[in-house]
Amino acid sequence: MGKQDFPHRDRDAATPAKGLLERASDIFDFSGALKGQGLPPLAVPPELIPPPPVFSPPAAQTDVPASAARPRAADWGGPVQAIDRAVLAENGFLVPGAPISGLAEEFRIVKRELQAALRAEGEARADGKLVLVASAHPGDGKTFCAINLALSLAAESAVEVLLVDGDVAKPDAPRLLGLQTGKGLLDALADPAVRIEDCVIRTDVPGLAVLPAGAGSTSDTEYLASARMGELIAALISGRPERIVIIDSAPLLAASAGSILATHVDLTLLVVRADRTSETALRDAAELLNGCRNVQLMLNGVKFSASGRRFGTYYGREG
């Protein structure tokens, strides 16, 4: 395989359609490496193997207090703004209410695969789910994919989607939606008096809200790595299983913020631009995601033959 290019394979019309997540896995198989597999077996002498533990039955307890109810995250308290459909169309994004396009079909498949993965990841949890959308370098299309995924998910019934601009060095997602930003994630991290739910912009697209990055400083990375970040995440998803938080990350090989955010999420989508991302860059980026237990590749910019499914060719804005 060349350093710059990925194979673009023709597919027979009778072959079952694959989503962009499956197609990325066909090109690169990082499942073992990301889970710490592929290591040689460890030979342990029998005399060093401890005997199985013996458990005594717990003593009967009386007057056990009832467990406290899990706190429920507050409703969004920020202003309501209209998403600029013209800006979305101009930049090649999905447009709410527009006729179904090939791009819309692709992201329908992606969101179905994503929802299945999230259910398998934490069915028993009564909280919302967090997804990080990252890439190795700028220009691979992560912001394009994050926005379109959020718009596609928001079309689902009984789902609340929050798009978080986590690319704090280059916050771009709200502008691409035509939204005016105020206080955001970094402001709530820096000042405990700022309520995170009041920074969330509610939009005129039912089920979609946006959290801006906020005012940056020289301590942004430290704020993201602080205990306060965990508190804010709990304030967004606690007791809200209907919520899916999509975080648009900084490029992994350009800033450390992405790898820090990956430690908080349930799943990371690593966007691979088929005509640009090298295998070396992808492997370097994957190593920075070892804090996330579930990483999937998402293919962007791939082309298919006329005999296969026609949708799937797009590039979108770089980000």
Side-chain angles (χ1 to χ4, degrees), residues 110-168:
V110 170
K111 75 178 176 183
R112 295 283 181 259
E113 295 173 340
L114 177 65
Q115 289 173 308
L118 291 175
R119 283 194 296 270
E121 193 67 27
E123 267 188 341
R125 276 177 39 200
D127 297 329
K129 305 297 187 295
L130 294 106
V131 177
L132 187 72
V133 181
S135 64
H137 295 298
D140 290 340
K142 63 170 184 60
T143 300
F144 178 78
C145 292
I147 291 176
N148 282 326
L149 181 59
L151 288 167
S152 185
L153 281 166
E156 298 287 304
S157 61
V159 173
E160 286 186 357
V161 180
L162 176 64
L163 175 63
V164 178
D165 196 342
D167 191 349
V168 295

Side-chain angles (χ1 to χ4, degrees), residues 29 91 152 170 222 250 319:
D29 181 12
N91 289 286
S152 185
K170 187 186 174 184
E222 287 73 21

